[in-house]
Amino acid sequence: MSTELPPPFRERMLGLFEPCVLMVMAISHYIRVCVEAIKRGEVLAPIMQTAKLRDEAFARFWIAFTTSRQPPATTPNGEPTQVEPAGSSALIPPLLKTASGVVLDIGPGTGSQMPLLRSPAIKAIYGAEPCLGLHKAIQNKALAEGLSSKYHLLPCSVASSELLPALEAAGTGVADAHKANGTGIFDAIICVRVLCSVPQLERTTRELYALLKPGGRVLVMEHVVNPWRTAKGSIAARIAQGIYQVFGWSYFIGDCCLDRDVEGALRGAADEDGGWESVQIDRSFEWSVMPHISGVLVKKSR
Ligand SMILES: C[S@@+](CC[C@H](N)C(=O)[O-])C[C@H]1O[C@@H](n2cnc3c(N)ncnc32)[C@H](O)[C@@H]1O
C-alpha cells in the first residue's frame, strides 16, 4: 500500500494536463508521418494504411520521448552524469534488479530498461516487441549494454499465438518444453508500461501466467485506472482519463489505455490454478491521471 501524501490541490489540478504534452507530441508525429506518405505519392495511405502509419508514428514518438528523458552522458565539467530516476520511473529499478534466469520482457520499447538487466543471474532475455520501428533502437541498446549475446529480439505481440511461434523461430530451444507438455518457460516476465496496450488484457495475463515456470515471477510496473471510489483516488483524474480516451489517446499512443484494471487482470490470471503463491503490489500517484501499480506476483512452486 502506498504511504505517499498527495501533492497540494493546485499541483494535482495542473497534473491533469500533463498527458496533454505526450498527446500533442504523439499527434504531431502522426501528422508528419501522414504528410510524408502523401508527399511520396501514397495519397490514400492515411485512410488505407492506418495500421502501418500509426506504427511508424508511434515508433518515432516513443524514440523521441525516451531520448528527451535521457540525461546527457556527462556534466558540463565532463564528469559522468548520475541522475536518479524520478516519478514513476523510480519504481522500476528495485523491481528489475531482482530479475534472474530466463526472462521475457514484453514491449521493451527502445530498450530503456536494459541497463537494469545486466545481472549475471539473468541467463537470457526475450524481448517481444511488435513495433518494428523500435527494433533498431533495441538492438543498439543491447549492443551498448553488452547484452547482445543474451538478448533475443522477437518481432511479435505478447499474444501466445504470435509469441510461441516467434520463440520457436528464435532457435534457442526455449519453447520446446512448453510445446511438448505445456510447461512454463520463463523465470521472470517483465511488464513495464505495456499491459495498458495489449489487446484482450485478461486473456493476455492468463497466457503470461501459463508461460511462467513454477515459482516464476511477474515483475510489474503499470499505469492503471484511477481508483476514484477509494479515499486516495480522484474523480477529477478519472474523468480526465475518460476525456483523453475520447480524444484519441489510444489511437495516437500505440493502443495505450488509461483506464484499465491491470491489477485485477493480473490477480485473476491465476484463478483457475488456485491463485498465486504471493502477490505484493504497491500503488502510487493514486490522485493522478496516471496512478501506478508496481510489484511482484509469484506463481506457486508446486
Ligand atoms: C509505453 S511503451 C513502454 C516501453 C518499455 N517497456 C519502457 O518501459 O520503456 C509500450 C510498449 O509496448 C509495446 N506493445 C504494444 N502492444 C504490445 C503487444 N501486444 N505485445 C507486446 N508489446 C506491445 C509497444 O510497441 C511499446 O514498445
Side-chain angles (χ1 to χ4, degrees), residues 58 62 66 92 105-110 112-113 128-131 134 156-159 192-194 196-199 254:
F58 175 76
W62 194 251
T66 47
I92 304 172
D105 185 8
I106 310 170
T110 54
S112 313
Q113 314 308 343
E129 179 51 70
C131 181
L134 294 170
C156 66
S157 155
V158 69
V192 175
R193 299 185 180 122
V194 63
C196 54
S197 304
V198 299

Side-chain angles (χ1 to χ4, degrees), residues 104 106 186-191 208 211-212 217-220:
L104 173 65
I106 310 170
F186 299 109
D187 297 285
I189 297 182
I190 296 174
C191 305
L208 287 175
L211 291 177
L212 272 182
R217 300 172 318 132
V218 174
L219 310 176
V220 60

Side-chain angles (χ1 to χ4, degrees), residues 175-190:
D176 291 353
H178 187 80
K179 198 176 170 197
N181 50 26
T183 27
I185 299 173
F186 299 109
D187 297 285
I189 297 182
I190 296 174

